[in-house]
Amino acid sequence: MTNNKALTRVRMSDIVIMLIVGVTMIICLVPFLHIIAVSLSSKQEIMSDRVTIFPRDIDWHAYEIVFQDSRMLWSMGLTIVLTVAFTAISMLMSIFAAYPLTKEHLKGRSFFMMLIVFTMFFSGGLIPEYLLVKQLGLLDNLLSLILPGMISAFNLIILRTFFSTIPASLEESAYLDGSSHIGTLIRIVLPLSLPVLATLSLFYAVTRWNGFMDALFYITNSELYPIQLKLYQVVMNSMVTDLTAQEGAAQMDVVPEGIKAASIMFATAPILIVYPWLQRYFVSGIMVGAVKG
């Protein structure tokens, strides 16, 4: 009888979890499917407000306008380069900061960790950050989108925790064979840390790809607009003049809502394509990095 009650509780908990997951998926997917449907629907269907999560009277004209806009394509290419550079630099700096902090003989290790944790809860604020970027001469410079957020304290702590789970005997064996600290890091530690490296790379990439507030504050040159800032302008501009100024009569064929939806999908698609390649590392990287403090 006791075993039956226990099984019943387990089954009920599984059902509750499945319901929560199902509701969460619906909440996340419905707006996304609606955006796709609007981007693919015709002007008449959008204006009549008959589009839900399925396209009606499929029309690719909105995507044609987006892909014909050279400034949108330039922003996309610029953002790809910026994201790759930001992710590579951030991971490099995070590795070089996290690995020494796993060494017990490092003097001041606790003090450095305290400073890192402190930055997670306290910051100078927007105005001091803007003044600092301005005094460094980084306004209208892509470095203003890289340097201020180059290292995440949260990601650094996860990486340090993961490094500390690697058996010390492996590193000691490498030292006995004459390997240096850098050699041990490259040949032993990093190959064993692929799950957490892939996970944190995804974190950094998504953060940079979705960021537009820093670009809004620091960038005024339209040639340096990342895709999210460009998308922000499209969504906020009801006339969509930045996309249709060269289209003439074509402006009358597609309502702004269709172009906005197509622009959103255009800006979202690359990160959605990359995510499945790194998703298999996501859970293992975070869980292993959170086991030990």
Side-chain angles (χ1 to χ4, degrees), residues 100-119:
L101 290 173
T102 62
K103 306 306 176 185
E104 296 182 358
H105 59 270
L106 177 66
K107 295 181 179 180
R109 183 177 68 155
S110 299
F111 173 74
F112 293 137
M113 281 303 305
M114 182 183 67
L115 290 180
I116 292 170
V117 173
F118 183 85
T119 62

Side-chain angles (χ1 to χ4, degrees), residues 91-92 94-96 99 159 162-163 166 171 181-198:
M91 285 304 301
L92 185 65
S94 297
I95 290 171
F96 285 163
Y99 182 64
L159 189 59
F162 191 99
F163 284 165
I166 297 177
E171 297 185 44
H181 287 291
I182 297 297
T184 302
L185 174 64
I186 295 175
R187 296 187 182 92
I188 295 180
V189 177
L190 295 184
L192 295 175
S193 305
L194 290 180
V196 73
L197 294 179

Side-chain angles (χ1 to χ4, degrees), residues 32-47:
F32 184 71
L33 293 176
H34 177 69
I35 292 295
I36 296 177
V38 171
S39 69
L40 292 173
S41 298
S42 65
K43 167 186 173 181
Q44 292 76 17
E45 296 296 332
I46 297 174
M47 294 185 65

Side-chain angles (χ1 to χ4, degrees), residues 37-267:
V38 171
S39 69
L40 292 173
S41 298
S42 65
K43 167 186 173 181
Q44 292 76 17
E45 296 296 332
I46 297 174
M47 294 185 65
S48 62
D49 199 22
R50 290 197 293 264
V51 181
T52 54
I53 62 174
F54 300 104
R56 296 177 65 92
D57 190 14
I58 294 179
D59 188 347
W60 296 90
H61 200 173
Y63 285 99
E64 292 177 3
I65 292 178
V66 171
F67 279 97
Q68 288 174 3
D69 185 70
S70 59
R71 287 168 292 182
M72 182 68 79
L73 297 177
W74 172 261
S75 293
M76 173 64 77
L78 181 66
T79 305
I80 292 175
V81 173
L82 181 64
T83 301
V84 172
F86 176 82
T87 303
I89 294 173
S90 296
M91 285 304 301
L92 185 65
M93 298 301 295
S94 297
I95 290 171
F96 285 163
Y99 182 64
L101 290 173
T102 62
K103 306 306 176 185
E104 296 182 358
H105 59 270
L106 177 66
K107 295 181 179 180
R109 183 177 68 155
S110 299
F111 173 74
F112 293 137
M113 281 303 305
M114 182 183 67
L115 290 180
I116 292 170
V117 173
F118 183 85
T119 62
M120 295 178 63
F121 303 100
F122 303 97
S123 66
L126 177 60
I127 295 177
E129 289 181 5
Y130 177 84
L131 293 177
L132 176 61
V133 171
K134 182 179 180 180
Q135 290 177 359
L136 292 175
L138 297 180
L139 294 181
D140 276 337
N141 191 319
L142 290 180
L143 289 178
S144 65
L145 306 181
I146 296 177
L147 297 181
M150 188 165 51
I151 296 182
S152 165
F154 176 77
N155 293 345
L156 177 60
I157 292 173
I158 290 178
L159 189 59
R160 170 191 171 273
T161 304
F162 191 99
F163 284 165
S164 65
T165 62
I166 297 177
S169 58
L170 294 177
E171 297 185 44
E172 292 173 358
S173 300
Y175 295 143
L176 292 176
D177 290 338
S179 178
S180 63
H181 287 291
I182 297 297
T184 302
L185 174 64
I186 295 175
R187 296 187 182 92
I188 295 180
V189 177
L190 295 184
L192 295 175
S193 305
L194 290 180
V196 73
L197 294 179
T199 301
L200 297 185
S201 296
L202 179 62
F203 282 178
Y204 279 122
V206 171
T207 299
R208 180 60 272 161
W209 186 271
N210 291 333
F212 83 95
M213 288 299 294
D214 51 355
L216 184 63
F217 297 140
Y218 305 145
I219 303 296
T220 58
N221 183 357
S222 61
E223 295 295 324
L224 300 179
Y225 281 177
I227 189 64
Q228 295 301 332
L229 183 56
K230 191 70 175 177
L231 176 61
Y232 173 77
Q233 288 188 329
V234 170
V235 173
M236 297 302 294
N237 187 354
S238 60
M239 298 303 295
V240 204
T241 55
D242 58 336
L243 288 178
T244 57
Q246 305 298 326
E247 294 296 327
Q251 183 174 351
M252 303 300 296
D253 296 336
V254 181
V255 295
E257 286 74 13
I259 297 179
K260 292 176 185 177
S263 300
I264 291 172
M265 292 308 305
F266 177 77

